[in-house]
Amino acid sequence: MQLLLTNALLVDATMAEPRYGNVLIENGVIRDLDARRAPAEDRNVVDLGGRTLMPGLIDCHVHVVASMMNLSANAQLPDATAMLRSLPIMRGMLARGFTTVRDVGGAPYALAEGVEQGLAEGPRLVVCGKALSKTGGHTDFRARADTHDPYRWQNRFGALGRIADGVDEVRRAARQELRQGARFIKIMANGGVGSPTDPVAWIGYSVDEMTAAVQEAADAQTYVAAHLYTAPAIQRAVQCGVHSLEHCNVIDAEAAVAAAAKGCVAVPTLVIFEALAQDGERLGLLPESMAKIGDVRNSGLASLEILRKAGVAMAYGTDLLGEAHERQCEEFAIRAQVLDSRDVLSSATTVAAKLIRMEDKLGLVREGFLADLIAVEGNPLEDVALLAAPSRNLKLVVQAGQIRHSWLP
Ligand code: ZN
Ligand code: ZN
């Protein structure tokens, strides 16, 4: 089965400028960027009319099982309900041009497999299973007065994480997640907004626990991603060998320099804090959570500048929950306020592909790469904010060589 996309302006983050191409796709792989128009029996030809053809987008911080903003309520959903509610979230992501996402807490390996097998329509999923947190940490969603055991939700489909305390439990939990198909390990290394009893500045794990998680991940040829905001939490995580630094809203220059020296990747997620501040109350966010938003929201744009100055690679992330998922592309416009278009484009393509360890298959328009491609109006190398308006500018979504959506005239 062949697909020929003609009359395209090819763009990826490594190209100096767009270049003309006719892209032949065969068995899900890009075969030729300058294909001739010779007719073939089962060849589907689509004329892009000079529009931009670029790599499919990659969001490195999502929770596809988070169908509600109230994460405690989400964790208590019956499994079947939570699973059914995740399906439109995944479909929505693909329809916004995200052909791959890294799920950083909640989605099981079976869901990734379901997408691969065509049982569900959505982005390719790179999963970590459940995120690990200490008692009273960011995946402990018990109300303050709730003294029931914290483990009772951890295998629920809608739970983003599980509790693991002490080196032995952290090792066992990491090994269980890896055995069950985790491609990396996620830990909660700071307090959080969506959980009721942990102030944002609390540090999530001791040095010994964090080091144990990093060793387990390294033994399984992978890395740890950590939820964190504050400079002390980032310093500790970097020293312990954590590779992927999520959020980083309240980072300072010293922590950013330390992160850059270790080759860490930051995954800012600024759009979620806009969504929480604007719609959190209406969408059922706990009052305890509403009160914590200001602690991280106001420093968002400054954190991007600190990271850029220190030379920390940044991947695209959104961290949206519930109804707010539809704002997934707004992060492009937020970042474009302080970062170069090319850097923002890399964050959702080449940097992201490297972070999910698929840089030899995804993130570029190149022969031999997987045919995950989107067509857009305009040139994102000049104005990456055009990607923030998919209803206007997104015209075609191709995943593994299959046309998933077309809004071409
Ligand atoms: Zn987080
Ligand atoms: Zn998250």
Side-chain angles (χ1 to χ4, degrees), residues 9 17 22 29 35 97 126 150 172 220 251 270 273 306 384:
L9 280 179
E17 53 190 32
N22 293 302
V29 175
V126 175
R172 188 178 305 117
I251 195 168
L270 301 188
F273 304 105
I306 292 169
V384 80

Side-chain angles (χ1 to χ4, degrees), residues 61 63 104 138 186 188 191-192 226-229 246-247 269 273 319:
H61 193 120
H63 303 280
V104 287
H138 184 43
K186 171 75 181 298
M188 301 305 194
H227 155 101
L228 34 68
Y229 299 110
E246 312 302 304
H247 316 306
T269 62
F273 304 105
D319 201 20

Side-chain angles (χ1 to χ4, degrees), residues 163-225:
I163 306 297
D165 287 309
V167 167
D168 289 349
E169 268 188 40
V170 167
R171 282 195 194 281
R172 188 178 305 117
R175 289 171 184 181
Q176 283 171 348
E177 295 302 340
L178 291 162
R179 184 187 74 79
Q180 293 173 127
R183 302 261 293 269
F184 63 101
I185 292 297
K186 171 75 181 298
I187 64 169
M188 301 305 194
N190 238 173
V193 172
S195 38
T197 60
D198 52 336
V200 164
W202 282 17
I203 297 204
Y205 269 125
S206 69
V207 168
D208 287 349
E209 290 167 316
M210 230 184 267
T211 304
V214 168
Q215 285 173 345
E216 291 302 326
D219 287 353
Q221 323 284 297
T222 185
Y223 64 88
V224 169

Side-chain angles (χ1 to χ4, degrees), residues 117-137:
Q117 295 170 354
L119 299 174
E121 190 188 321
R124 296 171 197 281
L125 290 174
V126 175
V127 303
C128 64
K130 303 299 185 196
L132 315 188
S133 152
K134 69 176 176 184
T135 292

Side-chain angles (χ1 to χ4, degrees), residues 302-350:
S303 72
L304 297 183
E305 280 177 342
I306 292 169
L307 288 162
R308 176 177 54 88
K309 244 186 216 159
V312 182
M314 281 180 259
Y316 193 88
T318 53
D319 201 20
L320 292 162
L321 313 168
E323 285 87 339
H325 273 110
E326 61 193 31
R327 308 177 70 150
Q328 191 174 19
C329 297
E330 281 180 36
E331 182 81 15
F332 284 108
I334 296 174
R335 294 195 188 192
Q337 292 174 45
V338 287
L339 301 174
D340 266 11
S341 279
R342 183 179 296 275
D343 290 343
V344 180
L345 182 62
S346 329
S347 75
T349 54
T350 48

Side-chain angles (χ1 to χ4, degrees), residues 10-355:
L10 310 181
V11 164
D12 69 33
T14 64
M15 293 179 184
E17 53 190 32
R19 75 123 154 130
Y20 188 81
N22 293 302
V23 177
L24 179 66
I25 294 161
E26 196 176 29
N27 300 324
V29 175
I30 300 171
R31 287 292 174 217
D32 189 351
L33 298 182
D34 300 294
R36 304 243 183 91
R37 245 175 195 287
E41 270 298 300
D42 59 349
R43 177 183 288 184
N44 184 11
V45 181
V46 176
D47 185 346
L48 294 183
R51 292 180 182 81
T52 295
L53 186 69
M54 57 173 280
L57 303 171
I58 304 172
D59 188 336
C60 286
H61 193 120
V62 305
H63 303 280
V64 300
V65 307
S67 61
M68 290 193 281
M69 267 203 185
N70 180 336
L71 296 177
S72 165
N74 207 80
Q76 295 175 67
L77 287 171
D79 285 350
T81 309
M83 201 264 279
L84 290 168
R85 290 174 64 98
S86 73
L87 298 177
I89 292 174
M90 294 196 295
R91 278 201 299 275
M93 290 176 172
L94 186 60
R96 286 185 286 270
F98 289 90
T99 47
T100 301
V101 298
R102 188 181 67 148
D103 190 285
V104 287
Y109 180 73
L111 206 56
E113 219 175 28
V115 171
E116 288 292 328
Q117 295 170 354
L119 299 174
E121 190 188 321
R124 296 171 197 281
L125 290 174
V126 175
V127 303
C128 64
K130 303 299 185 196
L132 315 188
S133 152
K134 69 176 176 184
T135 292
H138 184 43
T139 67
D140 191 336
F141 294 115
R142 293 173 299 172
R144 196 173 290 287
D146 182 349
T147 53
H148 292 92
D149 84 72
Y151 303 101
R152 66 192 190 282
W153 296 332
Q154 70 182 19
N155 290 318
R156 287 281 179 84
F157 189 93
L160 268 54
R162 56 189 289 183
I163 306 297
D165 287 309
V167 167
D168 289 349
E169 268 188 40
V170 167
R171 282 195 194 281
R172 188 178 305 117
R175 289 171 184 181
Q176 283 171 348
E177 295 302 340
L178 291 162
R179 184 187 74 79
Q180 293 173 127
R183 302 261 293 269
F184 63 101
I185 292 297
K186 171 75 181 298
I187 64 169
M188 301 305 194
N190 238 173
V193 172
S195 38
T197 60
D198 52 336
V200 164
W202 282 17
I203 297 204
Y205 269 125
S206 69
V207 168
D208 287 349
E209 290 167 316
M210 230 184 267
T211 304
V214 168
Q215 285 173 345
E216 291 302 326
D219 287 353
Q221 323 284 297
T222 185
Y223 64 88
V224 169
H227 155 101
L228 34 68
Y229 299 110
T230 64
I234 293 166
Q235 289 278 17
R236 180 179 295 183
V238 169
Q239 280 161 21
C240 292
V242 169
H243 177 62
S244 181
L245 306 172
E246 312 302 304
H247 316 306
C248 295
N249 295 53
V250 215
I251 195 168
D252 64 14
E254 295 79 64
V257 167
K262 289 276 192 84
C264 298
V265 177
V267 189
T269 62
L270 301 188
V271 64
I272 180 60
F273 304 105
E274 297 310 305
L276 293 178
Q278 287 165 25
D279 300 323
E281 202 164 8
R282 182 171 62 80
L283 297 176
L285 194 66
L286 298 168
E288 300 92 307
S289 297
M290 287 300 296
K292 293 196 267 187
I293 295 169
D295 298 345
V296 291
R297 181 186 179 209
N298 302 331
S299 52
L301 289 179
S303 72
L304 297 183
E305 280 177 342
I306 292 169
L307 288 162
R308 176 177 54 88
K309 244 186 216 159
V312 182
M314 281 180 259
Y316 193 88
T318 53
D319 201 20
L320 292 162
L321 313 168
E323 285 87 339
H325 273 110
E326 61 193 31
R327 308 177 70 150
Q328 191 174 19
C329 297
E330 281 180 36
E331 182 81 15
F332 284 108
I334 296 174
R335 294 195 188 192
Q337 292 174 45
V338 287
L339 301 174
D340 266 11
S341 279
R342 183 179 296 275
D343 290 343
V344 180
L345 182 62
S346 329
S347 75
T349 54
T350 48
V351 175
K354 194 168 176 206
L355 186 56

